[in-house]
Amino acid sequence: FMMGAIIAEAKPLHQIEKLIEPLKDMFCAIFFVTIGMMFDPNILMTNLSTILIISVALILGKMIGATSGAFLSGESGRNSLKVGMGLTQIGEFSFIIASLGTTLGVTNPQLYPLAIAVSAITTLSTPYMINLASPISNVFTHHARPLVKVFNHYTVWIHELHPSGDSAMIVKFIFKIIAQIIVNSMLVAAVFIASAFCASNLDSILFGKDLITLDDNYHRSIVCGFALLVSLPFTIASYRKLKALSMIFSELWIRNRLFGKHTYRARQVIFETVPVITIIWIMSLIFSISHQILPEPKLLLTLEVGAFIIAIIFWKQFIKIQSWLQIQLFSVMEEHEKPAE
């Protein structure tokens, strides 16, 4: 695991993957051969009824579930049925779960060979299920036309809900901004949680051995102030993204025909107040999960005012820091997505 985590950050990742691919194939073969050798035909004969019942239940359950999911997402009934009937098998992950349950003693040891037998039956039946998808769909279309019309209306309605053209671009841009706000807010929360964890460990090392004597409020103030300072680039980034999002919504919601010459002021109220209110709400939520490092209210208010002043003074520098971190993250992700040469 450690070697995989280290190699995942290496620049020649795709070359490494190409070199170790034969090794991966070899271990995959060993895995499936081992699974096959664990299969006991006697269990298949002695528990045939149980295995068949479980297999039928799995096939029908997965078919209904996958078909319903594909249909609800907007696929046609025919395509949804093909998806559902192509996903009726259980894979090697069931072996791992059954093996883990047997190892921990929470399941019957007989469950493992049953899982292998059911997996073999469902896997072997999948090609036949795929071939049956079109005939079953034709029969259903021929004998249940009123219901098919209702399904078709639903599919058309779902497709009409999907934005297209300029609307699709706007929706895509909005979701991108929301994702960036969530990521930056999570990074701020991670800074405070990490600060709380480090502070508790330092307490046990320093304060537990009486190496340092410090008032608890001042100690909390130091830790909280450090967390606020480190999280400022991400907080500022969230504020800027929230302001951009508010501008988009204010342009969409507030029309000239409703507010006339006051349109810009009405929009300004939204894109100036909404980001501030949202940032206050996010920070309140983060403070609630890291209350163990928060000082008394007066000191906390002083820290917040100090952080606000620092943010205004070094606004551009914090933006550059956050932009640099974002560029580094994207460069790593793009490096991983490059195709192997």
Side-chain angles (χ1 to χ4, degrees), residues 75-256:
E75 289 293 332
S76 65
R78 185 181 295 271
N79 290 338
S80 299
L81 186 61
K82 288 180 179 179
V83 170
M85 297 189 73
L87 296 174
T88 55
Q89 72 283 353
I90 60 172
E92 64 278 0
F93 193 66
S94 58
F95 306 154
I96 299 172
I97 296 175
S99 177
L100 184 63
T102 303
T103 304
L104 296 176
V106 295
T107 59
N108 193 318
Q110 197 176 9
L111 179 64
Y112 188 73
L114 287 178
I116 295 175
V118 171
S119 175
I121 291 175
T122 55
T123 302
L124 291 172
S125 66
T126 300
Y128 301 100
M129 298 296 294
I130 295 173
N131 291 333
L132 286 172
S134 294
I136 292 175
S137 177
N138 293 333
V139 171
F140 187 79
T141 303
H142 181 72
H143 293 283
R145 290 182 180 178
L147 192 59
V148 170
K149 289 182 179 179
V150 173
F151 288 166
N152 289 336
H153 285 308
Y154 173 82
T155 304
V156 172
W157 176 67
I158 290 294
H159 282 289
E160 288 178 351
L161 290 178
H162 292 168
S164 59
D166 293 339
S167 299
M169 293 293 294
I170 294 173
V171 170
K172 185 177 179 180
F173 186 64
I174 289 173
F175 276 109
K176 184 178 180 180
I177 293 176
I178 293 174
Q180 291 174 342
I181 293 170
I182 293 172
V183 169
N184 284 304
S185 301
M186 291 175 65
L187 288 171
V188 174
V191 169
F192 275 86
I193 294 171
S195 299
F197 176 77
C198 294
S200 62
N201 282 276
L202 286 175
D203 288 346
S204 60
I205 295 172
L206 300 177
F207 294 93
K209 297 181 179 179
D210 296 328
L211 298 178
I212 296 177
T213 303
L214 188 65
D215 182 74
D216 183 59
N217 256 323
Y218 290 110
H219 171 246
R220 288 170 176 252
S221 299
I222 293 171
V223 177
C224 184
F226 175 78
L228 281 171
L229 184 63
V230 174
S231 62
L232 273 179
F234 310 114
T235 306
I236 292 172
S238 297
Y239 171 80
R240 294 175 69 231
K241 296 299 179 183
L242 282 165
K243 192 167 185 178
L245 191 64
S246 302
M247 287 181 177
I248 294 173
F249 283 126
S250 64
E251 290 281 344
L252 294 174
W253 293 340
I254 299 179
R255 305 289 184 177
N256 290 327

Side-chain angles (χ1 to χ4, degrees), residues 1-17:
F1 173 78
M2 293 302 297
M3 287 302 298
I6 294 170
I7 292 174
E9 299 299 326
K11 288 186 177 180
L13 175 63
H14 299 285
Q15 184 180 359
I16 295 171
E17 289 178 345

Side-chain angles (χ1 to χ4, degrees), residues 281-338:
W281 178 80
I282 291 173
M283 293 306 298
S284 301
L285 182 62
I286 293 172
F287 284 161
S288 67
I289 63 176
S290 55
H291 58 86
Q292 63 268 33
I293 64 170
L294 299 182
E296 61 182 13
K298 290 183 180 179
L299 286 174
L300 179 59
L301 181 61
T302 304
L303 290 173
E304 290 174 344
V305 172
F308 180 73
I309 294 172
I310 293 173
I312 293 176
I313 296 173
F314 299 100
W315 185 269
K316 292 183 179 179
Q317 287 78 2
F318 282 126
I319 292 175
K320 289 180 180 178
I321 292 172
Q322 197 276 336
S323 300
W324 179 81
L325 292 172
Q326 185 172 333
I327 291 171
Q328 294 300 314
L329 175 62
F330 287 158
S331 65
V332 173
M333 293 175 66
E334 288 173 1
E335 183 71 26
H336 288 182
E337 291 174 0
K338 287 181 180 179

